[in-house]
Amino acid sequence: MNTKALQRGFWLSFWSVVTIMTVRGAIIPARLRNLRITSLSGIGPVYATVSWGYSAGSRPVNVIFDLQFAGGATGSVTVDGEALEAEVPLIGTARAGEAYTITATLVYRQLGWTFIRQMQVSGQVG
């Protein structure tokens, strides 16, 4: 086999993979992963510390977290898409061991278009 043809095949494959990975990172939106409340702090007002991560892809511009506790406490915060942790001030009283629901609204802007994805997670404060 011709050495020039092997080199051409190698570089064609290499740049194809680089292009595909770049397009994937620019167009496919990152998903929210491991969303949870890690702790409660404060006496009045009470703050819930929320942490999360992202999958591969382009991160959202903003993320809005709405918290609802079984005991009636609620809270909301909007953070930048690069953040991985936030403190949410709560209205009402929340306790350790209490069930909660987090609704996350992710706002993406890609190729001049804005679109929204929403997810909901339930758990119990540890």
Side-chain angles (χ1 to χ4, degrees):
M1 195 155 208
N2 189 350
T3 306
K4 280 277 197 198
L6 286 174
Q7 286 178 340
R8 191 174 314 132
F10 169 78
W11 287 111
L12 180 63
S13 299
F14 174 79
W15 287 112
S16 296
V17 169
V18 168
T19 302
I20 289 169
M21 295 305 288
T22 302
V23 168
R24 182 182 187 281
I27 294 179
I28 297 175
R31 295 188 182 270
L32 209 57
R33 303 179 83 183
N34 304 324
L35 178 60
R36 65 192 180 282
I37 293 178
T38 55
S39 66
L40 295 172
S41 62
I43 296 172
V46 175
Y47 289 88
T49 304
V50 180
S51 68
W52 65 93
Y54 293 104
S55 65
S58 65
R59 289 190 175 185
V61 177
N62 294 319
V63 183
I64 304 164
F65 295 107
D66 296 310
L67 280 64
Q68 177 72 44
F69 285 82
T74 61
S76 183
V77 69
T78 302
V79 297
D80 184 71
E82 296 298 317
L84 296 175
E85 190 173 82
E87 283 192 343
V88 183
L90 300 176
I91 298 172
T93 304
R95 294 174 184 79
E98 190 172 351
Y100 64 83
T101 302
I102 303 173
T103 303
T105 305
L106 293 87
V107 180
Y108 294 93
R109 184 160 180 88
Q110 294 175 337
L111 302 174
W113 294 91
T114 301
F115 63 97
I116 296 171
R117 289 211 171 148
Q118 197 170 43
M119 67 175 286
Q120 199 167 35
V121 174
S122 296
Q124 192 169 4
V125 180

